[in-house]
Amino acid sequence: MSIPEEIDFEVDADDLEPLQEQERELGAPSLVVDDLYVTYRVFGGKRVGDRSAGRMQRMVSRGRQHVGGLTSVEAVRGISFVARHGESIGIVGVNGSGKSTLLRAIAGLIPPTKGSVYVSGDPSLLGVNAALIGELTGERNVMLGGLALGLTPDQVRERFDDVVDFAGIGDAVYLPMNSYSSGMGARLRFAISAAAVPDVLMIDEALATGDAAFRKKSKARIDGIRDQAGTVFLVSHSLRTILSICSRTLWIHQGRLVMDGPSEAVCEAYHAFVRAQD
Ligand SMILES: Nc1ncnc2c1ncn2[C@@H]1O[C@H](COP(=O)(O)OP(=O)(O)O)[C@@H](O)[C@H]1O
Ligand SMILES: [Mg+2]
């Protein structure tokens, strides 16, 4: 899918709803993302002796650049914004728009190609997704994820039963995570994130799957983190989930920030865009 170049996504500040609720609650900046670029470099060259690779390669690689067998994908292109303590920020955008890459860069898991990310306070902010390993049991992953979020091993052991209860996965916690349904995996990931009070909590499509009760618990947990002046990022395809949890939303398209404002306005514009594509 493509967007004609002439469409201007810049939003005039005057067109946005006033940020009353945010002004009331927000603290100092917790995170500054300044003209961030992230480029993936992957080996995408033609395989020797495979004649058909040429055309296939061209088909799958539109919009990507090949240099000497290396393909580079500009996943994030010049994104800037400031997040504040106590803020929960939704991130929307079609598949492949760069949402997960942005979160990974904020977490320090991939280096910026250009630009920078400044984090106040605990620099070990972490999206727990990245730390988990499918071949290991849920139990081992609770430990790994907890450590990644800055808990001590004793703290993780103390909270283990709560995490398993929250996730509602029962004895499956002793099975490898790659045997879980996506819903079970998502619930466990969220439960692990919820075991700590990180400065910045990043949730990448982990809420879409649970039932109503799980979503309610999750929302309460996110509100708790905001009350303790953390910053929450939530990537979700459910605009309703974003609207119920986030006061502000970023819309990312083809690696660029096309809109940043109150969730109502951004979700409405994004929804209209997605509808127009169909
Ligand atoms: N590890 C990777 N190596 C190479 N390209 C990647 C990698 N991860 C993502 N990409 C590419 O970067 C772009 C953005 O992907 P991603 O951040 O996962 O988007 P989203 O989370 O919005 O679906 C896509 O073109 C995707 O194919
Ligand atoms: Mg993603």
Side-chain angles (χ1 to χ4, degrees):
M1 96 105 270
S2 70
I3 290 198
E5 285 297 336
E6 62 268 24
I7 292 182
D8 182 7
F9 279 103
E10 290 295 318
V11 174
D12 195 316
D14 292 335
D15 292 342
L16 297 176
E17 302 278 325
L19 294 166
Q20 286 155 352
E21 200 217 347
Q22 294 188 18
E23 275 163 16
R24 181 164 50 81
E25 291 179 11
L26 297 184
S30 58
L31 174 78
V32 178
V33 173
D34 180 21
D35 198 24
L36 180 71
Y37 285 77
V38 177
T39 304
Y40 291 107
R41 288 181 207 291
V42 288
F43 289 99
K46 225 189 280 186
R47 256 186 275 150
V48 179
D50 184 353
R51 292 239 190 109
S52 66
R55 179 181 293 174
M56 192 61 197
Q57 202 62 54
R58 282 199 299 279
M59 276 176 62
V60 299
S61 63
R62 258 179 297 162
R64 299 174 178 205
Q65 237 184 339
H66 292 265
V67 182
L70 269 183
T71 303
S72 57
V73 182
E74 290 188 318
V76 169
R77 304 192 253 186
I79 289 185
S80 302
F81 65 91
V82 175
R84 293 171 184 281
H85 290 289
E87 197 168 31
S88 59
I89 302 177
I91 303 180
V92 297
V94 296
N95 284 335
S97 54
K99 305 179 296 294
S100 297
T101 303
L102 174 64
L103 290 191
R104 278 185 234 135
I106 291 172
L109 297 168
I110 11 176
T113 320
K114 206 182 122 199
S116 25
V117 175
Y118 305 95
V119 190
S120 85
D122 187 357
S124 73
L125 66 102
L126 213 4
V128 71
N129 287 2
L132 305 187
I133 298 172
E135 286 76 22
L136 300 181
T137 61
E139 184 188 26
R140 296 301 303 157
N141 276 302
V142 170
M143 178 58 79
L144 278 178
L147 296 177
L149 288 166
L151 298 177
T152 65
D154 279 344
Q155 284 172 323
V156 180
R157 272 178 224 115
E158 230 167 72
R159 296 170 202 195
F160 180 78
D161 290 343
D162 287 344
V163 170
V164 179
D165 282 351
F166 194 132
I169 59 169
D171 284 347
V173 74
Y174 301 109
L175 299 175
M177 262 192 89
N178 54 19
S179 69
Y180 293 6
S181 69
S182 62
M184 289 163 69
R187 292 202 304 276
L188 182 60
R189 275 193 286 278
F190 186 81
I192 294 170
S193 323
V197 182
D199 286 336
V200 179
L201 173 62
M202 292 178 281
I203 303 162
D204 196 345
E205 309 198 7
L207 291 183
T209 43
D211 56 13
F214 180 74
R215 280 200 300 275
K216 203 170 157 202
K217 277 192 289 189
S218 305
K219 184 177 185 317
R221 182 61 207 172
I222 289 171
D223 290 344
I225 289 170
R226 290 177 61 189
D227 289 346
Q228 293 174 66
T231 304
V232 178
F233 286 96
L234 174 65
V235 173
S236 178
H237 284 295
S238 161
L239 297 185
R240 226 188 307 151
T241 304
I242 296 232
L243 285 167
S244 75
I245 291 177
C246 307
S247 46
R248 171 185 174 192
T249 295
L250 313 178
W251 173 12
I252 294 171
H253 189 74
Q254 295 178 348
R256 296 196 173 90
L257 184 59
V258 292
M259 200 170 169
D260 173 358
S263 295
E264 293 76 22
V266 176
C267 288
E268 200 180 308
Y270 174 64
H271 186 65
F273 165 77
V274 171
R275 249 185 338 212
Q277 296 294 301
D278 293 337

